Amino acid sequence: MMVPISQAWTVATYVLKQKLAGRKRYPLVLMLEPLFRCNLACAGCGKIQYPAHILKAELSPEDCFRAVEECGTPMVSIPGGEPLLHPQMPEIVAGLVARKKYVYMCTNALLLKEKLHLFKPSKYLSFSVHLDGQKEHHDFAVCREGGHDIAMEGVRAAVAAGFRVTTNTTLFDGADPNSVRAHFDELMAAGVESMMVSPGYTYEKAPDQTHFLGKARSRRLFQAILSNRKKSWEFNTHPLFSEFLMGKRDFECTPWGMPTFSIFGWQKPCYLLQDGYADTFQELLDTTEWENYGAKSGNPRCANCMVHSGHEASAVDYNFGSLKGFLVTAKKYMFPSTYEDAHAMKLLNEWPKATHAPLVQIASPVKTAAELQEVSGD
């Protein structure tokens, strides 16, 4: 299934209004982080390395609604941490749906099956399940044996209950493109609406600093994965962003395209970097030195970034920035390409099979269901 027409129309008309109003910088998706605590401790994550009093803090529903209204975007992504640990998450989601915002609630799905009854299916709500690959690779990536099976149970339960379900796959050095493609087949067979795939980012606080991809390796990997694709695969990303990952296009980062609001306020400059905070969204736009970010700025922290939160908005802006951009994108949607590429197929066939060291299960702050409820206040 593709993204609902109503959602595509809402986003298109929103962007056109920004363009007609002459706004150079406008948000596309609000990254709303109501909490940082999680029931996983992934080695590549830089979002949970906070002291206990920070991990216990939460945004209230009113805080969330105020940020959404202030930002004005039609789409809201709710990452974390693990949003299902927030005791008022059903209220937050219901409030956003009532405001006709398209919500992607990101989750590792360890609690999805048991929490599903707290939500109502809606075209405005999608569970975006974090799955980093097939069973062995996902469990290794999240440092949790059995995590893949639990997450897939949650996916199937949500699909069976009539919810929109998408997935988010983050790739690091050592990813096996053949396994990733098999992973796509499994997700489509499970009934997910669409998939998103993106390279990981080198979070300064991440425990593992050795497995992040540089740009050259990212392009080689995504060329192997996304070329010669199956017609059955549906992606929840702009087609030009996929071409950017494959090395077919060059987009500069649009850090204001997916602004982040958390317990600290509006994060400068983007979801990935923490260079201070602003009290209001307008202050974020006015006081951030945007010229200091992006690959062309020379900022070493931006040199290898190809993450969707910085570059997919660039693809959308190109889409609506000129008649050429509009026609190019329209063609991509009307006549989707499978990107036949003999060199990429050769890469795929010759790619060495990935091997992992024994899985190291990093202890998370909470382990049992009772402990999860105690920490979340549920």
Side-chain angles (χ1 to χ4, degrees):
M1 293 183 290
M2 293 291 289
V3 169
I5 294 176
S6 60
Q7 179 176 337
W9 176 256
T10 297
V11 174
T13 54
Y14 165 79
V15 175
L16 283 172
K17 287 179 181 177
Q18 308 308 308
K19 289 292 185 180
L20 292 172
R23 295 190 180 99
K24 180 182 178 181
R25 299 188 180 107
Y26 59 89
L28 182 66
V29 181
L30 170 61
M31 308 294 281
L32 180 66
E33 291 186 298
L35 78 173
F36 290 122
R37 69 177 176 274
C38 190
N39 48 358
L40 286 176
C42 305
C45 179
K47 290 288 184 177
I48 62 169
Q49 315 303 321
Y50 288 101
H53 71 282
I54 297 297
L55 293 178
K56 291 179 181 179
E58 301 167 346
L59 290 178
S60 69
E62 291 72 24
D63 293 331
C64 296
F65 303 150
R66 185 167 54 252
V68 169
E69 296 296 338
E70 186 180 346
C71 190
T73 58
M75 294 188 292
V76 180
S77 177
I78 307 179
E82 170 51 52
L84 287 176
L85 291 177
H86 196 302
Q88 293 177 290
M89 187 50 57
E91 181 182 344
I92 292 171
V93 168
L96 296 179
V97 168
R99 288 166 171 77
K100 297 185 178 181
K101 301 295 182 181
Y102 288 93
V103 179
Y104 286 85
M105 204 204 76
C106 306
T107 175
N108 57 41
L110 295 183
L111 295 172
L112 182 56
K113 189 174 180 180
E114 66 182 80
K115 299 273 189 178
L116 207 55
H117 67 284
L118 300 175
F119 302 88
K120 294 181 180 179
S122 168
K123 71 176 183 179
Y124 292 106
L125 171 62
S126 175
F127 290 111
S128 178
V129 178
H130 179 86
L131 280 160
D132 278 345
Q134 292 185 288
K135 179 180 172 62
E136 180 183 2
H137 184 81
H138 176 80
D139 288 356
F140 181 84
V142 302
C143 306
R144 169 70 178 265
E145 193 165 1
H148 177 274
D149 291 345
I150 298 173
M152 288 302 294
E153 284 182 17
V155 166
R156 296 187 183 96
V159 170
F163 287 93
R164 294 179 59 194
V165 180
T166 60
T167 58
N168 177 5
T169 299
T170 305
L171 300 181
F172 297 89
D173 191 21
D176 180 347
N178 289 287
S179 178
V180 174
R181 289 167 65 92
H183 172 59
F184 291 165
D185 289 336
E186 293 172 353
L187 294 177
M188 289 288 99
V192 305
E193 175 183 292
S194 54
M195 308 171 291
M196 184 179 73
V197 60
S198 182
Y201 179 75
T202 316
Y203 286 108
E204 292 177 347
K205 296 180 181 179
D208 181 0
Q209 290 288 315
T210 62
H211 288 90
F212 292 95
L213 287 160
K215 279 189 174 179
R217 286 182 294 171
S218 287
R219 288 172 180 143
R220 184 169 178 267
L221 175 64
F222 282 97
Q223 183 186 10
I225 293 171
L226 297 177
S227 299
N228 307 296
R229 67 181 63 175
K230 297 185 179 180
K231 292 182 178 180
S232 59
W233 295 348
E234 296 287 358
F235 292 99
N236 185 31
T237 51
H238 196 285
L240 299 187
F241 173 66
S242 293
E243 292 188 0
F244 166 72
L245 292 178
M246 297 161 70
K248 296 179 179 296
R249 293 186 182 273
D250 185 22
F251 288 125
E252 183 65 4
C253 177
T254 304
W256 56 83
M258 296 188 184
T260 299
F261 183 79
S262 71
I263 59 173
F264 299 127
W266 294 95
Q267 182 171 309
K268 295 183 179 183
C270 66
Y271 180 66
L272 304 170
L273 299 179
Q274 294 170 291
D275 285 352
Y277 295 86
D279 292 330
T280 67
F281 179 67
Q282 192 59 50
E283 181 187 341
L284 173 74
L285 290 181
D286 294 343
T287 64
T288 303
E289 296 178 344
W290 300 108
E291 66 276 8
N292 293 337
Y293 302 98
K296 291 182 179 179
S297 71
N299 190 325
R301 295 176 298 169
C302 302
N304 287 308
C305 180
M306 297 180 71
V307 180
H308 78 98
S309 61
H311 295 87
E312 187 158 13
S314 306
V316 173
D317 191 67
Y318 174 82
N319 182 167
F320 292 96
S322 66
L323 178 60
K324 177 184 177 181
F326 180 81
L327 293 176
V328 167
T329 304
K331 183 179 178 181
K332 298 293 180 183
Y333 278 111
M334 289 189 293
F335 307 103
S337 175
T338 55
Y339 298 98
E340 298 300 318
D341 185 331
H343 175 68
M345 183 58 72
K346 186 172 184 291
L347 274 179
L348 197 64
N349 291 334
E350 295 177 353
W351 203 282
K353 185 174 177 57
T355 58
H356 297 301
L359 184 147
V360 177
Q361 189 153 325
I362 299 177
S364 58
V366 287
K367 297 179 182 179
T368 68
E371 287 174 321
L372 291 176
Q373 290 179 349
E374 180 181 348
V375 172
S376 65
D378 197 2

